[in-house]
Amino acid sequence: MHYRIFGSPMPAVAIAMEQGESIYTQSGGMTWMSDGFSMETNMRGGFLKGMGRMFSGESLFMATYTAQRPGAEITLASSFPGEIRILEVGRGKEYIAQKNSFLCATPNVTLSAYVTGVKTGLFGGEGFVLQKYTGQGLAFLELDGTIVEKELAPGEKVKVDTGNIAFFEASVSYSSEMVKGFANILFGGEGLFLSTLTGPGKVWLQTMSASELAKRIIPFVPRSSN
């Protein structure tokens, strides 16, 4: 399997496969492909796992594309300005990612729901359900804006504004902390809580948040006078 990522600010990934190799993506995720693929659509893992994926922002049904000849190529495009990043899952490496980040993965990678605590879900900025990647293989994520990687030492913390967490290694702890100081809460503009990531492990942060961008655009959207 060979892949190339191209395009900016709306990137896509083209994946060339040998005969018998496969990837899966959410239903409707394919952009274009060459001749020589078979497609199978199902709930992948059963109804309960499918429902978990739905809560993490993905489709109930997944489509698996399998190359029927050498060199068959499939292209999948990002749905938002940003970057496509590749996760090498396995050998003790598991990852937690923001909702709606899944683009595609090889068959031995499992995409499941990762449930946060009540406080973190309410105030952490990413919601109650994130995405977890386990198993063995490659996963492709579509992320917002520019991505910055940080390595956290054991106990080292980084505090992140709402929605700017892209993904992190499963060894990293994710929580929320209240902003201290009356004036900071009233006038700081960051809200009552910040997301907190605590090492050890790597974290990837994004400069843009799709939800925050939407909030800025909504006031300028024309409304019906009726």
Side-chain angles (χ1 to χ4, degrees), residues 3 35 63 66 69 95 97 101 104 112 120 124 145 162 168 191 195 212 221:
Y3 58 84
D35 192 21
T66 302
R69 61 171 178 79
Y95 298 89
S101 60
C104 64
S112 59
T120 303
T162 300
F168 52 91
S195 300
E212 289 300 313
V221 175

Side-chain angles (χ1 to χ4, degrees), residues 102-120:
F102 175 72
L103 187 60
C104 64
T106 52
N108 289 332
V109 172
T110 299
L111 167 62
S112 59
Y114 176 83
V115 181
T116 66
V118 174
K119 178 183 175 183
T120 303

Side-chain angles (χ1 to χ4, degrees), residues 31-212:
T31 306
W32 66 76
M33 62 183 177
S34 65
D35 192 21
F37 278 99
S38 66
M39 183 180 75
E40 180 184 2
T41 303
N42 54 43
M43 283 190 285
R44 191 173 181 84
F47 179 73
L48 291 179
K49 288 189 176 181
M51 289 298 294
R53 287 194 302 268
M54 284 187 66
F55 285 117
S56 70
E58 305 302 337
S59 172
L60 176 64
F61 289 91
M62 291 285 170
T64 299
Y65 295 88
T66 302
Q68 302 298 302
R69 61 171 178 79
E73 185 176 88
I74 185 170
T75 299
L76 301 100
S78 176
S79 58
F80 199 82
E83 296 186 20
I84 292 174
R85 287 296 180 102
I86 300 96
L87 302 184
E88 294 185 3
V89 184
R91 297 182 182 179
K93 293 293 185 182
E94 299 179 349
Y95 298 89
I96 312 297
Q98 67 171 352
K99 293 173 65 174
N100 303 305
S101 60
F102 175 72
L103 187 60
C104 64
T106 52
N108 289 332
V109 172
T110 299
L111 167 62
S112 59
Y114 176 83
V115 181
T116 66
V118 174
K119 178 183 175 183
T120 303
L122 284 173
F123 306 114
E126 299 292 338
F128 286 98
V129 183
L130 304 179
Q131 296 180 348
K132 186 171 185 178
Y133 294 85
T134 59
Q136 185 82 34
L138 299 178
F140 297 79
L141 306 187
E142 55 170 318
L143 305 168
D144 310 331
T146 301
I147 306 303
V148 176
E149 178 183 331
K150 291 183 177 292
E151 176 86 43
L152 300 181
E156 183 180 2
K157 295 183 178 183
V158 59
K159 298 183 180 182
V160 188
D161 196 9
T162 300
N164 289 101
I165 297 172
F167 62 100
F168 52 91
E169 292 180 339
S171 59
V172 174
S173 299
Y174 169 53
S175 62
S176 61
E177 292 187 10
M178 181 177 285
V179 175
K180 296 180 181 179
F182 182 74
N184 290 333
I185 292 172
L186 285 182
F187 309 115
E190 304 297 343
L192 286 172
F193 289 84
L194 294 176
S195 300
T196 302
L197 298 170
T198 305
K202 291 182 179 180
V203 304
W204 288 260
L205 309 177
Q206 56 192 19
T207 59
M208 180 186 294
S209 163
S211 59
E212 289 300 313

